[in-house]
Amino acid sequence: MSADVHHDDGHAHGTLKSYLIGFGLSVVLTAIPFWLVMAHVFDSNALTTVAVLACAVTQMIVHMIFFLHMNGKAEGGWTMMSAMFTILLVVITLSGSIWVMYNMTRNMMPASAQEIRQMP
């Protein structure tokens, strides 16, 4: 029996080659952030965070393509549309949460000892 078996249910099926490519990319996209953090490659924590987040987003796309078989053709494009809507909601939720936490930290942190001494 061939690894490239297609059924008549209308859904995309992966091949052994596509699964191995996806697995390889997933391993590399996991190893890179681990190495960046453990080896302190960048002097800036912000740059390290951006690099780790970029690898995470790339890995999510790899999983969607190679393991979930999502493309613009599956189920008339509705699968991709729902995935894009979900991603939009996640981005809005995460960016809003970070914004709120940042503003709370900036506006509600107690005064430093130096500022307390200078108070009348």
Side-chain angles (χ1 to χ4, degrees), residues 11-43:
H11 298 291
H13 296 279
T15 62
L16 179 61
K17 180 181 176 183
S18 71
Y19 285 127
L20 289 175
I21 291 171
F23 177 73
L25 288 172
S26 296
V27 169
V28 168
L29 289 169
T30 300
I32 290 172
F34 182 80
W35 170 71
L36 289 175
V37 171
M38 295 305 289
H40 301 287
V41 175
F42 300 121
D43 293 331

Side-chain angles (χ1 to χ4, degrees), residues 110-119:
S112 66
Q114 180 71 16
E115 293 172 341
I116 292 173
R117 278 188 230 119
Q118 293 176 352
M119 289 181 152

Side-chain angles (χ1 to χ4, degrees), residues 14-119:
T15 62
L16 179 61
K17 180 181 176 183
S18 71
Y19 285 127
L20 289 175
I21 291 171
F23 177 73
L25 288 172
S26 296
V27 169
V28 168
L29 289 169
T30 300
I32 290 172
F34 182 80
W35 170 71
L36 289 175
V37 171
M38 295 305 289
H40 301 287
V41 175
F42 300 121
D43 293 331
S44 168
N45 286 340
L47 188 56
T48 302
T49 302
V50 169
V52 169
L53 289 175
C55 286
V57 168
T58 306
Q59 191 171 53
M60 286 185 348
I61 293 169
V62 165
H63 281 259
M64 287 169 49
I65 292 170
F66 287 99
F67 299 119
L68 298 176
H69 311 296
M70 295 180 79
N71 57 32
K73 299 174 190 171
E75 296 182 22
W78 285 107
T79 305
M80 186 60 70
M81 184 73 73
S82 65
M84 290 172 30
F85 180 69
T86 302
I87 290 169
L88 177 67
L89 287 178
V90 167
V91 167
I92 289 171
T93 303
L94 289 178
S95 60
S97 298
I98 291 170
W99 178 51
V100 166
M101 289 186 287
Y102 173 78
N103 282 322
M104 286 179 63
T105 302
R106 296 286 296 170
N107 295 323
M108 299 190 70
M109 288 298 292
S112 66
Q114 180 71 16
E115 293 172 341
I116 292 173
R117 278 188 230 119
Q118 293 176 352
M119 289 181 152

